[in-house]
């Protein structure tokens, strides 16, 4: 059975005081046991966040990790560093990293392989640009992104993978894919996994949707059968909104 997940991507927002108060606010709220809740503060605050969420059901994850094991890579953070402070999951391939840091499929595959071989689970992000959807190329673009990266992995690694379909035109724009567009793409993604592996693998992987999810549109999107939750940017910075989005994904 696949997991329901709501993960907050805090991006480059919040200093120490804001990070601490947002986590304390979240800890006061009731969540739903059937939804895994994750937050991803910026690197400098990960250890503080881990200490703060102690004894709650919130998992702290990283927004990124470097593709090399260690060495002269100024400003970067390694898998081993993250593991040493108790991080067990990271985002990889967020569109903002693909665009602003030129992370291509080759680099992303290196990151994925290094993370998974060191027991750092991943939420792998991908999705098409607006012109690609407008030219009706979105299925092929997504298929290529997957075939060049996660679909190259051994089947047994798929239990450590969550996918996040994030159409770039919907990230931080206020524009959301319709529930039908999300469902159609998620079903297609599951079909790609089925073709590369088997039914168990394709049915067991959680596929999140990301792109301007808010309390007002979350229920409809999460109600689609192949949408297992969301990766939330802007709305995850507000504890109450984040709670409502988690509630929208719960069957309890
Ligand atoms: C994201 O950055 O992953 C994201 C989905 O952002 P937003 O919810 O703000 O569109």
């Amino acid at each position: 059975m696949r997991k329901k997940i709501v993960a907050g991507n805090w991006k480059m927002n919040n200093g120490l005081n804001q990070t601490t108060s947002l986590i304390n606010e979240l800890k006061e709220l009731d969540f739903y046991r059937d939804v895994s809740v994750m937050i991803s503060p910026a690197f400098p605050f990960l250890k503080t966040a881990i200490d703060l969420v102690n004894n709650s059901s919130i998992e702290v994850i990283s927004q990124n990790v470097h593709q090399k094991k260690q060495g002269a890579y100024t400003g970067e953070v390694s898998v081993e560093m993250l593991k040493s402070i108790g991080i067990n999951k990271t985002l990889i391939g967020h569109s903002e990293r693909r665009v602003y840091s030129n992370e291509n499929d080759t680099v992303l595959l290196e990151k994925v392989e290094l993370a998974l071989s060191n027991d750092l689970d991943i939420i792998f992000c991908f999705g098409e640009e607006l012109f690609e959807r407008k030219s009706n190329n979105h299925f092929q673009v997504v298929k290529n992104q997957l075939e060049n990266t996660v679909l190259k992995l051994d089947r047994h690694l798929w239990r450590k993978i969550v996918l996040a379909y994030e159409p770039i035109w919907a990230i931080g724009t206020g524009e959301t894919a319709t529930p039908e567009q999300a469902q159609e793409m998620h079903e297609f993604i599951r079909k790609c996994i089925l073709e590369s592996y088997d039914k168990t693998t394709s049915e067991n992987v959680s596929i999140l949707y990301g792109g301007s999810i808010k309390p007002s549109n979350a229920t409809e999107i999460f109600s689609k059968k192949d949408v297992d939750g969301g990766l939330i940017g802007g709305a995850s910075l507000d504890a109450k909104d984040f709670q409502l989005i988690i509630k929208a994904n719960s069957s309890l």
Side-chain angles (χ1 to χ4, degrees):
M1 256 256 300
R2 49 192 196 245
K3 271 194 201 147
K4 288 168 174 282
I5 297 170
V6 172
N9 177 12
W10 291 4
K11 313 192 186 194
M12 199 173 71
N13 292 299
N14 290 343
L16 179 60
N17 291 343
Q18 291 154 308
T19 299
T20 305
S21 45
L22 183 50
I23 292 173
N24 285 334
E25 238 186 295
L26 288 170
K27 278 173 63 179
E28 293 290 305
L29 300 172
D30 282 331
F31 294 128
Y32 296 83
R33 273 173 293 112
D34 62 334
V35 182
S36 299
V37 176
M38 300 168 196
I39 55 169
S40 61
F43 282 139
F45 312 122
L46 287 177
K47 179 68 172 82
T48 306
I50 286 175
D51 293 342
L52 283 169
V53 299
N54 191 21
N55 288 330
S56 82
S57 58
I58 303 169
E59 184 181 5
V60 178
I61 69 171
S62 161
Q63 296 176 20
N64 182 37
V65 69
H66 197 253
Q67 64 273 22
K68 300 292 183 207
K69 210 168 174 316
Q70 64 174 72
Y73 301 101
T74 303
E76 299 293 349
V77 172
S78 72
V79 169
E80 201 179 302
M81 290 170 185
L82 293 174
K83 292 289 295 184
S84 74
I85 58 162
I87 294 286
N88 293 312
K89 194 177 274 97
T90 184
L91 301 179
I92 289 181
H94 192 279
S95 64
E96 285 150 18
R97 298 219 46 96
R98 291 176 189 253
V99 173
Y100 304 129
S101 301
N102 297 320
E103 291 186 358
N104 59 25
D105 290 343
T106 310
V107 166
L108 295 175
L109 179 59
E110 272 188 78
K111 290 187 183 220
V112 165
E113 287 179 328
L114 187 66
L116 295 180
S117 61
N118 288 281
D119 280 329
L120 183 67
D121 294 358
I122 63 168
I123 298 182
F124 186 75
C125 312
F126 53 94
E128 81 283 357
E129 294 196 46
L130 187 56
F131 76 91
E132 293 164 331
R133 180 165 280 268
K134 284 199 162 149
S135 56
N136 210 24
N137 240 348
H138 46 299
F139 290 113
Q140 193 55 48
V141 167
V142 162
K143 190 170 192 202
N144 291 347
Q145 287 174 327
L146 296 175
E147 281 181 346
N148 291 338
T149 55
V150 286
L151 291 179
K152 288 185 183 290
L153 301 169
D154 280 355
R155 189 173 63 99
H156 77 275
L157 291 172
W158 275 79
R159 64 190 159 76
K160 302 169 177 219
I161 299 175
V162 168
L163 297 179
Y165 167 59
E166 300 205 299
I168 295 176
W169 48 272
I171 298 181
T173 58
E175 215 177 298
T176 324
T178 63
E180 291 69 31
Q181 285 172 323
Q183 168 56 27
E184 181 185 45
M185 184 57 89
H186 284 218
E187 194 175 335
F188 173 76
I189 294 162
R190 245 180 251 293
K191 200 172 109 234
C192 294
I193 301 167
L194 175 66
E195 281 166 7
S196 295
Y197 303 95
D198 51 38
K199 195 164 184 330
T200 312
T201 309
S202 76
E203 285 300 319
N204 283 348
V205 63
S206 296
I207 309 178
L208 315 183
Y209 166 79
S212 300
I213 292 192
K214 319 180 252 295
S216 57
N217 60 22
T219 308
E220 240 199 309
I221 292 176
F222 294 158
S223 71
K224 294 296 177 191
K225 87 172 172 32
D226 287 298
V227 179
D228 303 304
L231 181 55
I232 321 297
S236 69
L237 297 169
D238 182 290
K240 289 268 157 40
D241 281 356
F242 195 52
Q243 183 198 30
L244 288 171
I245 292 168
I246 294 161
K247 184 175 178 201
N249 200 21
S250 173
S251 325
L252 300 179

